[in-house]
């Protein structure tokens, strides 16, 4: 077992990124990214891999409590620095402290402004009672409560969100430690600490940071409930409330969370969950389902599921009408098999997709780690055959990414983000399983990753007839 991220892998990942970034920029020179986006990409990639190697090796023997305190403080410090930098950077670039082409984030902020001086009961009725859809309501309600302390400030809520993002790192450790062991748990936490995509949203007003926190908190508490020999009303109520909160952020996320818990109840080994507790939780789960059936949550979930194919067709048609002629080929059948490595990095300047260019390095990190995710999946199913005991996190990520891949947002980084924490756990597991035999696959992956990045740049430009 390899308990840390090897320097050889870190260096190789950086060299490949620099090589493919240079190649894309030279071949498609007229559409090369601006210097600031190039610098950000290099910063994200080198920072992630070098720090993951250094810290995972340094913290191997660090006492558990000291490790958790250290990684929390470092994660928080990085996120606060980024939040302040992004505030200034976006203001200089766009004239306001919001990301490029800001839509949802401005809406969240304006909704909050309207609720600053409102009565909490009125805000609750407005968001959850007198509405046909509760998706997004949870985040607006959270911001409204926070505004009672922060007023009309834009930066302070982002600094508070950063605290939750740093706490997410600790939750990922706890979840991973129970599923893949102490070494894998620490490595997953290190990955999460330095993961560019998780850091990026701390500098925006978008809901992703809080949504990911609640999602990981749910998985961690649900996993604890399944594995703990002792359980009570509190250990049952907490994950139930967390999963309900997910529906108020993104409906399909809540649906995937419920599916994962049911799957875990059915497939988790009896030695882990216990026969009596399995029946108790199944009975409680059925009662909970019957309680919410027919309500807003179920109706909204059914509507989204029924319209998933129409949404995909509409999205592809819209992209085609805008000049993206090849978008019609990005169907669910094509994108679903790639769901563990998506999204691809945007390394060219096209359609003013500046946010995607800022995150090109982070998406490359996801692509590179995807090889280790595949090793973990293969091992869990065919070698160690412990997939049953990983069924909670496994079924969640497969269900959620599967739903997204069949929608019109298969390569949308924002929509794919909730699956990232579990993928980081699986990537860490894959690294710990490295040996001479499966390293041959990673050697092949070294060639697959740059091909994906270059092909995506070709696709984005070619589909618009720009070369």
């Amino acid at each position: 077992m390899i308990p840390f991220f090897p320097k050889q892998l870190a260096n190789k990942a950086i060299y490949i990124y620099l090589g493919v970034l240079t190649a894309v920029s030279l071949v498609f020179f007229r559409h090369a990214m601006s210097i600031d986006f190039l610098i950000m990409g290099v910063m994200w990639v080198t920072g992630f891999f070098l720090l993951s190697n250094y810290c995972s090796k340094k913290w191997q023997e660090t006492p558990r409590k000291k490790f958790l305190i250290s990684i929390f403080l470092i994660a928080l410090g990085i996120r606060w620095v980024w939040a302040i930098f992004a505030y200034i950077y976006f203001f200089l670039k766009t004239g306001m402290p919001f990301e490029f082409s800001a839509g949802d984030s401005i809406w969240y902020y304006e909704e909050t402004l309207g609720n600053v001086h409102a009565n909490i009961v009125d805000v609750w009725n407005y968001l959850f009672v007198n509405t046909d859809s509760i998706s997004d309501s949870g985040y607006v309600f959270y911001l409204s409560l926070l505004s009672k302390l922060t007023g009309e400030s834009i930066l302070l809520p982002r600094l508070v969100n950063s605290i939750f993002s740093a706490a997410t790192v600790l939750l990922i450790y706890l979840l991973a430690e129970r599923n893949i062991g102490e070494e894998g748990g620490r490595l997953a936490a290190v990955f999460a600490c330095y993961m560019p995509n998780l850091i990026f949203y701390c500098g925006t007003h978008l809901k992703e940071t809080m949504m990911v926190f609640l999602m990981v908190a749910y998985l961690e508490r649900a996993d604890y409930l399944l594995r703990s020999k002792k359980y009570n009303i509190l250990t049952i109520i907490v994950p139930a409330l967390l999963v309900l909160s997910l529906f108020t952020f993104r409906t399909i996320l809540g649906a995937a969370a419920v599916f994962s818990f049911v799957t875990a109840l059915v497939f988790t080994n009896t030695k882990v969950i216990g026969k009596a507790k399995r029946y108790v939780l199944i009975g409680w789960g059925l009662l909970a389902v019957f309680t919410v059936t027919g309500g807003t949550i179920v109706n909204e979930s059914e509507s989204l599921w029924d319209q998933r194919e129409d949404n995909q067709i509409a999205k592809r048609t819209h992209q085609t009408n805008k000049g993206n002629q090849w978008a019609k080929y990005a169907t669910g059948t094509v994108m679903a098999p790639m769901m563990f490595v998506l999204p691809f990095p945007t390394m060219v300047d096209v359609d003013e997709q500046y946010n995607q260019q800022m995150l090109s390095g982070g998406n490359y990190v996801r692509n590179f780690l995807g090889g280790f995710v595949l090793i973990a999946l293969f091992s869990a199913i065919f070698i160690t055959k412990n997939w049953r005991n990983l069924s909670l996190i496994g079924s969640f990520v497969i269900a959620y990414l599967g739903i997204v891949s069949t929608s019109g947002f298969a390569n949308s980084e924002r929509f794919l983000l909730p699956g990232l924490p579990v993928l980081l756990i699986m990537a860490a597991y894959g690294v710990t399983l490295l040996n001479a035999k499966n390293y041959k696959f990673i050697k092949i992956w070294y060639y697959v990753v740059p091909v994906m990045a270059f092909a995506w740049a070709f696709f984005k430009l070619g589909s618009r007839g720009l070369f």
Side-chain angles (χ1 to χ4, degrees):
M1 174 177 285
I2 300 178
F4 60 90
F5 192 67
K7 187 174 182 179
Q8 180 183 358
L9 294 177
N11 290 339
K12 197 71 175 181
I14 294 171
Y15 296 151
I16 291 173
Y17 178 75
L18 294 177
V20 71
L21 181 63
T22 301
V24 169
S25 299
L26 291 176
V27 173
F28 307 112
F29 184 76
R30 290 191 301 118
H31 303 284
M33 295 190 295
S34 63
I35 186 66
D36 47 342
F37 296 145
L38 291 172
I39 292 174
M40 284 184 192
V42 174
M43 176 195 71
W44 289 130
V45 172
T46 56
F48 175 84
F49 287 110
L50 291 180
L51 289 170
S52 291
N53 162 250
Y54 176 78
C55 292
S56 63
K57 194 170 185 178
K58 179 183 177 182
W59 287 334
Q60 282 184 78
E61 305 299 329
T62 302
R64 187 174 187 265
K65 184 177 180 180
K66 184 178 179 180
F67 166 74
L68 293 176
I69 293 174
S70 298
I71 201 167
F72 174 81
L73 293 177
I74 290 174
L76 180 59
I78 292 173
R79 282 153 176 77
W80 272 354
V81 169
W82 172 256
I84 295 171
F85 169 80
Y87 183 94
I88 299 171
Y89 177 79
F90 287 137
F91 188 85
L92 293 175
K93 288 292 184 176
T94 69
M96 55 183 179
F98 293 94
E99 70 278 5
F100 298 99
S101 304
D104 289 348
S105 56
I106 294 178
W107 180 79
Y108 292 139
Y109 178 65
E110 291 178 344
E111 283 287 292
T112 303
L113 288 182
N115 296 330
V116 170
H117 303 294
N119 182 282
I120 294 299
V121 175
D122 293 336
V123 175
W124 176 272
N125 290 333
Y126 167 65
L127 293 173
F128 297 105
V129 180
N130 304 321
T131 181
D132 294 326
S133 173
I134 62 171
S135 186
D136 281 337
S137 294
Y139 185 59
V140 175
F141 185 71
Y142 157 75
L143 287 180
S144 299
L145 292 178
L146 192 58
S147 69
K148 303 297 182 182
L149 300 175
T150 61
E152 299 181 1
S153 172
I154 295 176
L155 180 60
L156 286 179
R158 298 178 186 179
L159 297 179
V160 174
N161 284 353
S162 298
I163 299 175
F164 286 101
S165 182
T168 301
V169 175
L170 301 184
L171 292 172
I172 287 175
Y173 163 78
L174 295 174
L175 178 62
E177 186 261 344
R178 283 196 296 270
N179 281 267
I180 62 176
E182 177 68 22
E183 292 84 0
R186 293 196 178 201
L187 184 54
V190 170
F191 283 168
C193 178
Y194 300 115
M195 187 66 209
N197 302 63
L198 297 179
I199 297 171
F200 176 81
Y201 288 99
C202 293
T204 74
H205 234 66
L206 294 168
K207 66 181 179 180
E208 270 63 27
T209 295
M210 286 302 301
M211 182 169 63
V212 169
F213 167 78
L214 291 171
M215 183 274 297
V216 177
Y218 161 73
L219 289 177
E220 194 278 327
R221 287 293 83 192
D223 183 75
Y224 176 83
L225 173 61
L226 290 170
R227 295 175 184 273
S228 176
K229 294 182 179 180
K230 295 182 179 180
Y231 58 97
N232 50 44
I233 295 297
L234 184 63
T235 57
I236 294 176
I237 290 297
V238 170
L241 293 176
L242 287 169
V243 78
L244 284 175
S245 72
L246 292 177
F247 281 99
T248 69
F249 276 70
R250 183 173 293 161
T251 308
I252 62 170
L253 189 60
V258 172
F259 173 80
S260 68
F261 189 74
V262 173
T263 303
L265 281 176
V266 174
F267 290 104
T268 300
N269 195 299
T270 303
K271 293 181 180 180
V272 174
I273 191 174
K275 185 179 293 186
K277 184 165 68 170
R278 189 195 304 272
Y279 293 142
V280 170
L281 292 178
I282 288 176
W284 174 83
L286 290 173
L287 178 63
V289 169
F290 287 132
T291 300
V292 301
T293 299
T296 303
I297 290 176
V298 171
N299 291 336
E300 190 171 340
S301 300
E302 290 178 349
S303 176
L304 285 172
W305 178 256
D306 292 339
Q307 297 173 15
R308 67 193 187 283
E309 293 184 1
D310 292 338
N311 291 336
Q312 183 184 54
I313 294 171
K315 178 72 181 296
R316 300 305 175 207
T317 301
H318 175 68
Q319 291 175 322
T320 302
N321 292 337
K322 288 180 63 178
N324 191 348
Q325 298 300 317
W326 296 352
K328 59 186 177 182
Y329 301 114
T331 62
T333 304
V334 174
M335 304 303 282
M338 299 183 285
M339 62 182 177
F340 295 113
V341 299
L342 292 173
F344 299 128
T346 297
M347 294 184 174
V348 289
D349 184 11
V350 59
D351 288 351
E352 298 184 349
Q353 296 177 349
Y354 302 131
N355 295 318
Q356 291 93 320
Q357 292 176 54
M358 288 182 70
L359 271 173
S360 65
N363 290 344
Y364 168 82
V365 171
R366 294 187 63 159
N367 297 159
F368 189 86
L369 294 181
F372 301 98
V373 172
L374 296 178
I375 287 177
L377 283 171
F378 182 84
S379 177
I381 296 173
F382 299 107
I383 300 178
T384 60
K385 297 181 180 179
N386 63 334
W387 63 270
R388 287 178 176 273
N389 296 336
L390 300 173
S391 57
L392 177 71
I393 60 175
S395 60
F396 168 79
V397 76
I398 291 173
Y400 180 77
L401 295 181
I403 294 171
V404 173
S405 66
T406 58
S407 72
F409 304 94
N411 199 60
S412 171
E413 193 276 334
R414 279 186 63 192
F415 277 82
L416 293 168
L417 187 72
L420 180 57
V422 173
L423 293 180
L424 292 178
I425 293 174
M426 295 169 69
Y429 187 40
V431 171
T432 63
L433 294 172
L434 269 184
N435 53 40
K437 187 175 182 180
N438 56 34
Y439 183 61
K440 294 178 181 178
F441 171 75
I442 295 300
K443 287 183 176 179
I444 298 174
W445 196 249
Y446 289 157
Y447 295 95
V448 174
V449 172
V451 168
M452 289 191 299
F454 192 90
W456 184 243
F458 180 84
F459 179 88
K460 293 184 78 70
L461 296 174
S463 63
R464 293 164 174 83
L466 296 178
F467 62 81

